[in-house]
Amino acid sequence: MRAWTAGWIFAIGLIAAAPAQAAADWPAKPVKLLVGFPPGQATDAVARILAERLSARFNQPVIVENRPGQGGSIALAALAKSAPDGYTMMLSATASLVTNPHLYKSTGYDTLRDFEPVGLVADLPMVLVANAAQPFSDVAGLRDYARRNPGALNFSSSGNGTLSHLGMVMLEREAGLQLTHIPYQGSAKAMTDMIADNVAIGLDTVAVTLPHIQSGRLKALAVGASQRLPMLPDVPTFAEAGYPAFQANPWLGMLFPKGTPKYIVQRMNQEIGLAVATPALSGSLKAIGAFARVDTPEDFAQLLRQEYGSWGELVQLSGSRVD
């Protein structure tokens, strides 16, 4: 009996040790990191910073592969079809996962079923800005002006159905406003026209808006993060401005295809945590308006479920669906 018990305990020990050994053996070859946007954009920049750090940790190359198109959905569709062996992963932006499936008739993936969430990597908070000549300097002043002049106040976005558009739809809903939407193809032209006072206000990331705020050509009214930003310490959050339900804090998150072994998911989550904790990486993120943010795979999965529903409602409210 004692021999049987000892053998059973030994066998259980081998079973428990197997995932740990497998995790230590992975990766045994280069890992592909998909990005759904062209080189030079924020998601690509973060991916390359992270890939460099992970390559050093793994002693294996982590190769960034850009597959732009349909707002990141082409790359996600490719990820969904990849082998769940831990050698293909993706750094995805918020919209690709939680707005595109509501925006487009077909994306080629199911956000809530086709992926193994690994964890968040960074936040890219948005800032509500106005042309410097506008007669208001905070959200309360904007609200009062817009209510006195319904439909007269216009806002820019980087395109129909983008987060810069849907965030303003959220503000219209929360503050009871009627604004006029002027969509552009990308943030650069939107900012140019706001600086020229062709549009009054807009919502975009820190990376896009900060240089114009610092130059005095635009003024910041509120930030979409849960707390004030270090580079804009005098600018209140939307919660401080009286709108606690308003959040415009896009994130970047890492995913594997569905079915990827849990030990690989957990190992990658730990490696991301170690990577973003380094001063070099966190400093590089801040330089492009991103802030390190790591959570558990379970927390990321819960966030996906929550935001998939809330951003989906805004897509329907905006009427931006593309067939």
Side-chain angles (χ1 to χ4, degrees), residues 162-296:
T162 61
L163 293 187
S164 61
H165 173 207
L166 298 178
M168 293 301 294
V169 172
M170 187 193 314
L171 180 61
E172 287 183 294
R173 183 184 67 183
E174 297 298 320
L177 305 180
Q178 181 184 344
L179 306 173
T180 299
H181 177 212
I182 310 294
Y184 292 85
Q185 291 185 331
S187 297
K189 178 62 175 173
M191 290 295 109
T192 298
D193 267 18
M194 195 186 311
I195 290 168
D197 206 17
N198 293 325
V199 288
I201 57 175
L203 185 72
D204 218 312
T205 62
V206 171
V208 170
T209 58
L210 187 61
H212 308 303
I213 296 168
Q214 292 175 330
S215 72
R217 294 176 292 184
L218 298 180
K219 49 188 172 184
L221 310 184
V223 297
S226 59
Q227 55 188 340
R228 295 193 182 198
L229 303 180
M231 68 284 293
L232 295 170
D234 298 325
V235 181
T237 66
F238 276 94
E240 291 174 318
Y243 299 97
F246 186 99
Q247 286 282 324
N249 193 41
W251 37 259
L252 298 175
M254 191 73 76
L255 308 103
F256 281 115
K258 188 70 175 179
T260 300
K262 296 297 182 185
Y263 67 83
I264 292 180
V265 173
Q266 292 291 344
R267 168 83 186 280
M268 179 55 72
N269 179 269
Q270 293 168 4
E271 292 294 345
I272 290 172
L274 291 171
V276 301
T278 62
L281 185 53
S282 61
S284 297
L285 290 173
K286 287 180 182 179
I288 60 171
F291 300 88
R293 178 185 177 190
V294 179
D295 57 4
T296 66

